[in-house]
Amino acid sequence: MLFDGKYYPAKAKKDGALERFVVTVRRADQGLEGAREAGRYEGTDYCIKKFGTSTIAWAPGPDMDRAAILTDGGNVVLRGTCNKW
């Protein structure tokens, strides 16, 4: 899927308990907004597949400032917890 017309490889994986996850989005140097949205999409997809819900408590999430989500390697890293109920 493209965001802002560009491809951002993103992967969500379990972070301890099944409801907690971490999303890593590569190629954020193409544009931070597109990378944020790719991460939001990947986290939402993870929660829907695991729990059937798209409600997420993000920390840090896609709406945080640049310094909170951008790593030294130029990736965006987001963390969240799926709301199971």
Side-chain angles (χ1 to χ4, degrees):
M1 178 168 292
L2 300 178
F3 296 91
D4 285 342
K6 297 178 179 95
Y7 176 65
Y8 295 87
K11 180 159 177 102
K13 65 180 182 177
K14 181 177 83 154
D15 186 26
L18 185 60
E19 65 271 8
R20 291 193 318 252
F21 64 90
V22 61
V23 176
T24 302
V25 183
R26 296 180 318 172
R27 299 187 189 167
D29 59 336
Q30 298 180 100
L32 187 57
E33 281 308 307
R36 288 176 196 262
E37 292 311 310
R40 185 187 317 269
Y41 176 87
E42 195 69 21
T44 301
D45 187 58
Y46 176 90
C47 289
I48 288 172
K49 286 179 179 173
K50 300 294 184 191
F51 298 104
T53 181
S54 62
T55 306
I56 300 170
W58 292 100
D63 298 321
M64 300 290 289
D65 67 31
R66 177 184 194 92
I69 63 173
L70 198 60
T71 67
D72 289 336
N75 297 327
V76 166
V77 177
L78 308 174
R79 294 182 185 279
T81 302
C82 304
N83 184 355
K84 298 187 295 187
W85 317 114

